[in-house]
Amino acid sequence: MSLLLSMTSCPNCGAPLSVEPGLRNVICIFCNTSLFVERPATGAAVAQIRAQSVSKDDIERVKQLLVDGKRDEAIAHYARAASVSRDEAERAVESVLLSAYWTLVRHLPINGFGFFLHAVFVFGGAGIAAWAATQAVESPAYLALVAAGGLFAILQLARFLRHLASTLVASFGSLGRGRVLRCSVLREFVKQNGFLVVVVFEVVPDDGSPAFVDQETLLAGEESLRKLSPGNVVRVRFDGARKRVFPTTPVTVLATGV
């Protein structure tokens, strides 16, 4: 029986937790807990996730090394602290970053330059496919280029539509009050003076509909990061599916936490 988990909850703090198939060690970036994923016995339907005896200081050190761009040191430190192999440590550390980057890539709103860049990719792929199609009349070998160019254009169009949806939500989505439940920095971009952060919002819509919780990966400047402190309530926009939540620009604090 294969172990297949996607989203679950941290047994220590209740925060959303992403678990890749086959992953045995997971890091909760919100409460700094190292977790062990116990594979279910034959016939069991649910995997068990339990905390390991790894100090929160060690997990904080792993996160800080990631923020400093010292990936290899972060892996080595986690391997020692959790008493696991380097391969297991690498998978656990990489899952923290890959999950965040995947969400960012899928949900990030884009600006005018982003629109232009996506247009270049889409029309470039379509143009190559169209040109190759004219050549394929005389040489069937060009059919491979038609397929490659067409597939590239389709994939870029799909990415563009996802980013377009996020851009529309960030600009015109439904308004609400988002209380920051948790915020964790995963990486700092020194040259851009920005941070890659994972934030859990509890959103109370202005229209009186039921509240909901959403986790988002965001790029935030230093000032915005301060405003996204746990407990603060900020103005947000969200989509109808409640799968995209973005703080307004600039981030507006409606109430401060304790």
Side-chain angles (χ1 to χ4, degrees), residues 60-162:
E60 185 61 42
R61 176 60 177 162
V62 171
K63 287 168 56 180
Q64 186 57 52
L65 288 169
L66 285 175
V67 169
D68 294 340
K70 300 177 180 178
R71 171 183 171 277
D72 289 341
E73 291 184 36
I75 294 171
H77 189 88
Y78 182 73
R80 289 193 299 270
S83 299
V84 298
S85 68
R86 179 177 173 81
D87 287 343
E88 286 289 341
E90 183 173 9
R91 290 197 64 192
V93 171
E94 284 296 319
S95 70
V96 172
L97 287 175
L98 289 177
S99 176
Y101 278 125
W102 175 244
T103 303
L104 182 69
V105 166
R106 289 175 61 85
H107 282 190
L108 185 67
I110 54 178
N111 54 21
F113 178 73
F115 277 95
F116 171 76
L117 196 60
H118 277 85
V120 170
F121 288 152
V122 171
F123 286 108
I128 290 174
W131 174 81
T134 63
Q135 304 301 311
V137 176
E138 298 181 1
S139 176
Y142 280 94
L143 290 174
L145 191 57
V146 173
L151 179 60
F152 179 79
I154 291 172
L155 292 176
Q156 293 302 318
L157 179 60
R159 289 184 59 190
F160 169 72
L161 292 176
R162 287 198 301 267

Side-chain angles (χ1 to χ4, degrees), residues 129-234:
W131 174 81
T134 63
Q135 304 301 311
V137 176
E138 298 181 1
S139 176
Y142 280 94
L143 290 174
L145 191 57
V146 173
L151 179 60
F152 179 79
I154 291 172
L155 292 176
Q156 293 302 318
L157 179 60
R159 289 184 59 190
F160 169 72
L161 292 176
R162 287 198 301 267
H163 289 302
L164 177 61
S166 293
T167 303
L168 293 175
V169 171
S171 301
F172 308 107
S174 301
L175 286 168
R177 297 165 60 89
R179 182 163 68 94
V180 180
L181 299 181
R182 298 173 180 86
C183 181
S184 181
V185 176
L186 292 184
R187 186 168 184 181
E188 179 180 2
F189 301 97
V190 178
K191 292 183 179 180
Q192 293 81 9
N193 193 28
F195 301 87
L196 175 68
V197 299
V198 178
V199 186
V200 178
F201 294 102
E202 180 183 44
V203 180
V204 178
D206 285 358
D207 61 11
S209 57
F212 64 96
V213 174
D214 179 71
Q215 177 178 305
E216 285 293 339
T217 302
L218 307 170
L219 290 176
E222 189 172 350
E223 182 179 354
S224 295
L225 182 60
R226 287 196 298 269
K227 294 178 179 179
L228 293 172
S229 298
N232 282 2
V233 177
V234 300

